[in-house]
Amino acid sequence: MNLVHKFKETCAAVLPICAIVLLLGTTIVPLGKELLSLFCVGSFFLIIGLTIFLTGAELGIVTSGAYVGAHLTRSRKMPLILISGLVIGFLITIAEPDLLVLGNQVETVTKTIPATSMILAVAVGVGIFVAIGLARVLFQIPYRLILIAGYIAVFALASQVSPVFVAISFDSGGATTGPMTVPFIIALGVGVSAVRGDKNALEDSFGYTGIASIGPILAVVILGFILAGNAGATGALTIIAHSANSAGANSNGIIAQLSRDIPQNARNVFVALSPLYAIILLFQVFFMRLPRELFRRISLGFLYAWIGLILFFVGTEIGFVPTGKALGEALGALNNKWILIPVGCLLGAVVVCAEPDVWVLTEQVEEVSGGNIRKNVLLMTLALGIALAVGLSMCRVIFGFSIWYLLVPFYSIAIALTFVTPRLFTAIAFDSGGVASGPMASTFLLSFTLGASVAVGGNPATDGFGVIAMIASTPLVAIQLLGLLYHRRETRALKGGEK
Amino acid sequence: MKYDWKIYTIVNHGLGEKIARLTRIAGARGGTILVGRGEIDSSILRALALADIEKDILLTLVTDDQLEGVVTLIRELQFYKHKNDGMIFVVPTGEKAMKDETPHEMISIIVNRGYADDIMKEARKAGALGGTILNARGTGKPTDEKFFGITIVPEKEELIILADSATAPAIREAIEALPCLTTAGIGIMYTMPVTQFSVLGKKC
């Protein structure tokens, strides 16, 4: 059955991380029994949580998203489609727990932007870009065009704004595309395309997440302009780094921590999921009227997604954040600092496989392409891309050069590749950029990088947040290259068939 | 060459391609794999909506002489892990069809997307042991609806239920009586005679 199958898959995804961490923690950099046992408990929660969440996401979030998308297109009412896109994008973003944390950090730092206005700006950004994504498909505007326009705007504005906001804005691009929003946005796109009969439908199934993650970056950069000059630029970064550092640092017994973490996460995840469910309910009552059995399955799916996410977040908080930080610090304190680079590559490659949204995306791709683009091939490519991203970030931690030297070439190559890559792969590539920078990256890898950076003596703030921006950019190139390979193989196979 | 038989092999997801490769050895010229979903036989898991399982449906067209070889090959394969990993049955095509009474029937129901689960639930009450659901698109309308640059086609689900000829009429009646299916144009249902049915799984 699927639950057992999913359990095996998540074990295969999470156990390698455990093996690597335990190996490093007992040999090169002794981490202590207490931390390692916390890490094991955390991994257990993570595996169980991920299994339940993926089952629930497939049953509830993905299914309902596809029905809403299909229903919207079939209604053939342009205003309804655009307004729904706007409202859905806005509502699911405003409830994202990561965004709330980020908003609070920004408030403490700048003292001039209240968290609410930052969150509102980001949510409006996502809403507008989801609507743009829908409109693009209806008016048949090339995906490439939107991307080029979007990213040129982002880079042009970001180069003018103070560096604090560059870090915050690229980070909010990653934070908004969290585990609740991504499956729904992906499924919405798949649903919109499913009712189409033309041959471009497959290509247009994906790409919404890629477009949606431009929104928050732009929104925060623009906020940065409004507030330019009155923010304490350098002080800001260190405070963010500190608050990220202190998270999960105190460990006073597993039981005490669980009794605090579980109710807190239960509330956060509930707040995040309820607007989504409310949207479905609204559609069900007023527009869709899905059959009873189907709706029961969707509701159960939401329940499972809720339980799964609680366990997942508890697992990352008690196990992965403190261990990642300790590991980074210990490795950075060694005499041979270069060891950070290979370890970073290795961790990056395995951690991305434990990212919940990565699984949702790869599964949807496999399903939509009718099994033509295999899940494992996509996962491997992503793992390679993220390995490169984390490896390069470790170089940055050691040598301390500016992130612009990496971001500009990667995005330029990614945009250039859109001209030659099959369009389906371009869309998948830009989706995976937002998808790969999910909760695992922003907990485990971020704290690992911050820890390393503190130990090396660099600037933890800019280096730490750089890792997320890097993780979001390397898949753009990696997946598009994969697309080129696929395309060449396919044309060769077709030629062979004709003979 | 006349392809008189269509072999349906329904197995757990991932096995379809392996079997297709092996059937070539037994003489089949190729195969088509569809992806669908079935349900585990457990009422508790079904109530929790956790019983779904992905299935590959392998369709192989064969001639009279190839039929026995291919079917035996698939039945005798060694890589089934459980007692019940799937099933195989053969549908006659062309003039072979409808000549004799067969012990089993394949009921196909094609409906608008979303209704298959409700239908399956009802069919179970009437004695069906299981079913496989495929996603599909309809092209029934003479002119497809246009909306900006996009052609809109209806989404469909196909539900395949294999039943023995004794219970099949009851299942068909139960499905026909479903209130959600009384709207005109919601779907179609038909049956086909089936031979050579057997369950695929590990031999004890």
Side-chain angles (χ1 to χ4, degrees):
Chain A
M1 58 187 283
N2 281 5
L3 198 63
V4 176
H5 186 64
K6 289 245 153 62
F7 179 71
K8 282 185 195 154
E9 281 181 338
T10 45
C11 279
V14 176
L15 289 181
I17 311 174
C18 302
I20 292 170
V21 169
L22 288 180
L23 195 72
L24 287 171
T26 47
T27 54
I28 315 176
V29 280
L31 288 180
K33 254 193 199 121
E34 200 196 348
L35 192 57
L36 286 181
S37 59
L38 262 179
F39 177 74
C40 288
V41 175
S43 318
F44 174 74
F45 272 92
L46 197 83
I47 291 175
I48 303 288
L50 203 53
T51 308
I52 302 176
F53 167 72
L54 287 174
T55 310
E58 200 177 291
L59 259 181
I61 303 179
V62 171
T63 314
S64 58
Y67 277 105
V68 168
H71 188 84
L72 281 178
T73 323
R74 222 172 10 218
S75 75
R76 287 182 293 156
K77 292 190 187 93
M78 194 49 132
L80 176 72
I81 295 174
L82 293 185
I83 290 170
S84 301
L86 203 71
V87 171
I88 289 170
F90 181 82
L91 278 184
I92 56 181
T93 309
I94 210 163
E96 193 71 48
D98 289 3
L99 184 61
L100 188 70
V101 174
L102 190 75
N104 285 334
Q105 285 173 347
V106 172
E107 182 174 331
T108 27
V109 165
T110 58
K111 307 229 165 29
T112 41
I113 331 170
T116 38
S117 71
M118 150 107 184
I119 292 170
L120 281 177
V122 170
V124 169
V126 174
I128 291 175
F129 273 80
V130 169
I132 289 179
L134 288 169
R136 172 196 86 79
V137 170
L138 298 180
F139 294 118
Q140 306 269 291
I141 304 165
Y143 189 56
R144 193 189 306 140
L145 223 65
I146 306 273
L147 284 180
I148 294 174
Y151 278 106
I152 283 178
V154 165
F155 275 90
L157 288 173
S159 62
Q160 300 301 314
V161 84
S162 79
V164 195
F165 283 100
V166 177
I168 298 175
S169 56
F170 275 94
D171 202 34
S172 54
T176 44
T177 45
M180 271 70 83
T181 49
V182 169
F184 192 74
I185 293 182
I186 290 177
L188 195 70
V190 170
V192 167
S193 301
V195 290
R196 287 172 50 185
D198 46 313
K199 63 181 191 326
N200 292 332
L202 177 67
E203 292 167 1
D204 287 343
S205 296
F206 297 97
Y208 293 86
T209 317
I211 291 183
S213 37
I214 302 177
I217 308 180
L218 263 184
V220 177
V221 171
I222 290 170
L223 252 188
F225 264 109
I226 300 170
L227 299 151
N230 50 6
T234 37
L237 286 165
T238 20
I239 296 173
I240 295 183
H242 273 295
S243 52
N245 260 347
S246 62
N250 52 332
S251 54
N252 41 1
I254 292 179
I255 306 295
Q257 221 173 339
L258 283 183
S259 63
R260 193 195 60 216
D261 276 3
I262 291 179
Q264 191 193 344
N265 277 307
R267 203 175 49 238
N268 281 349
V269 178
F270 183 80
V271 168
L273 273 179
S274 47
L276 202 56
Y277 190 70
I279 292 171
I280 307 299
L281 215 59
L282 216 71
F283 263 86
Q284 168 68 3
V285 173
F286 291 106
F287 306 107
M288 294 197 291
R289 289 177 221 280
L290 298 175
R292 220 178 37 214
E293 179 65 17
L294 181 68
F295 196 69
R296 191 182 70 91
R297 288 166 61 97
I298 289 175
S299 303
L300 274 174
F302 270 89
L303 181 69
Y304 297 151
W306 179 58
I307 297 171
L309 273 181
I310 296 170
L311 294 178
F312 177 85
F313 281 127
V314 169
T316 50
E317 273 168 31
I318 65 168
F320 277 67
V321 174
T323 317
K325 181 170 154 273
L327 202 63
E329 275 175 1
L331 282 172
L334 289 178
N335 283 331
N336 299 322
K337 295 198 188 340
W338 57 265
I339 204 162
L340 276 171
I341 300 171
V343 170
C345 287
L346 196 62
L347 283 177
V350 291
V351 159
V352 70
C353 298
E355 199 73 72
D357 291 340
V358 166
W359 287 85
V360 175
L361 177 72
T362 49
E363 244 157 53
Q364 286 292 304
V365 169
E366 189 176 283
E367 198 178 310
V368 169
S369 70
N372 200 9
I373 306 171
R374 288 279 156 171
K375 192 156 67 180
N376 292 342
V377 178
L378 266 185
L379 270 178
M380 295 265 280
T381 316
L382 268 179
L384 278 177
I386 307 302
L388 184 68
V390 181
L392 284 171
S393 301
M394 287 302 135
C395 293
R396 253 168 42 77
V397 165
I398 298 172
F399 302 112
F401 50 90
S402 164
I403 185 137
W404 286 108
Y405 292 119
L406 293 175
L407 280 186
V408 172
F410 265 109
Y411 275 98
S412 321
I413 296 172
I415 297 280
L417 276 174
T418 57
F419 288 93
V420 285
T421 316
R423 274 177 287 181
L424 172 64
F425 279 91
T426 303
I428 298 172
F430 277 84
D431 273 1
S432 12
V435 165
S437 52
M440 279 304 284
S442 51
T443 56
F444 187 70
L445 289 179
L446 184 61
S447 38
F448 175 75
T449 320
L450 288 174
S453 181
V454 168
V456 170
N459 182 351
T462 41
D463 298 347
F465 291 114
V467 77
I468 304 239
M470 284 307 297
I471 289 174
S473 64
T474 48
L476 310 186
V477 176
I479 301 282
Q480 290 199 79
L481 288 178
L482 175 75
L484 278 180
L485 274 179
Y486 249 87
H487 186 60
R488 272 183 51 195
R489 273 243 311 268
E490 209 170 60
T491 35
R492 207 179 300 158
L494 280 178
K495 270 184 196 156
E498 279 165 15
K499 281 173 195 170
Chain B
M1 258 203 268
K2 272 175 80 178
Y3 294 104
D4 281 330
W5 304 98
K6 181 160 138 197
I7 307 175
Y8 276 74
T9 316
I10 304 183
V11 284
N12 287 350
H13 184 51
L15 288 180
E17 267 150 36
K18 283 188 201 165
I19 296 178
R21 221 176 297 136
L22 291 169
T23 51
R24 288 194 171 203
I25 301 168
R29 291 204 50 195
T32 306
I33 298 172
L34 314 172
V35 179
R37 73 183 156 90
E39 280 181 324
I40 293 243
D41 193 19
S42 152
S43 51
I44 301 168
L45 288 180
R46 275 205 301 276
L48 290 171
L50 291 177
D52 293 5
I53 183 161
E54 273 194 300
K55 292 284 187 185
D56 279 350
I57 297 125
L58 170 67
L59 306 178
T60 323
L61 276 177
V62 289
T63 60
D64 252 350
D65 335 326
Q66 292 164 346
L67 179 67
E68 271 318 309
V70 175
V71 171
T72 339
L73 175 99
I74 296 174
R75 262 187 215 152
E76 300 300 322
L77 286 173
Q78 292 301 315
F79 51 62
Y80 304 117
K81 289 198 189 91
H82 314 286
K83 264 191 181 162
N84 183 353
D85 254 358
M87 58 171 158
I88 185 170
F89 55 85
V90 179
V91 175
T93 60
E95 60 209 46
K96 282 269 192 303
M98 308 290 179
K99 274 188 182 157
D100 319 294
E101 285 287 304
T102 53
H104 292 93
E105 277 179 31
M106 180 181 85
I107 308 174
S108 295
I109 304 118
I110 300 175
V111 281
N112 287 346
R113 179 91 39 108
Y115 287 94
D117 285 299
D118 287 59
I119 295 172
M120 194 58 233
K121 202 176 170 190
E122 208 58 33
R124 268 180 205 283
K125 281 184 203 157
L129 294 175
T132 309
I133 298 169
L134 301 166
N135 285 343
R137 274 203 317 237
T139 56
K141 285 186 180 157
T143 49
D144 285 330
E145 292 174 55
K146 282 266 181 187
F147 174 45
F148 290 91
I150 295 174
T151 322
I152 296 178
V153 292
E155 287 176 289
K156 298 282 183 187
E157 270 173 336
E158 180 178 9
L159 171 62
I160 299 173
I161 298 174
L162 197 82
D164 57 60
S165 304
T167 46
I171 297 172
R172 284 204 304 270
E173 272 164 36
I175 293 170
E176 269 169 4
L178 260 181
C180 62
L181 297 187
T182 46
T183 327
I186 207 147
I188 56 169
M189 168 161 76
Y190 61 92
T191 60
M192 277 170 136
V194 159
T195 58
Q196 305 248 25
F197 167 75
S198 68
V199 170
L200 297 175
K202 203 175 176 180
K203 310 285 179 295
C204 312

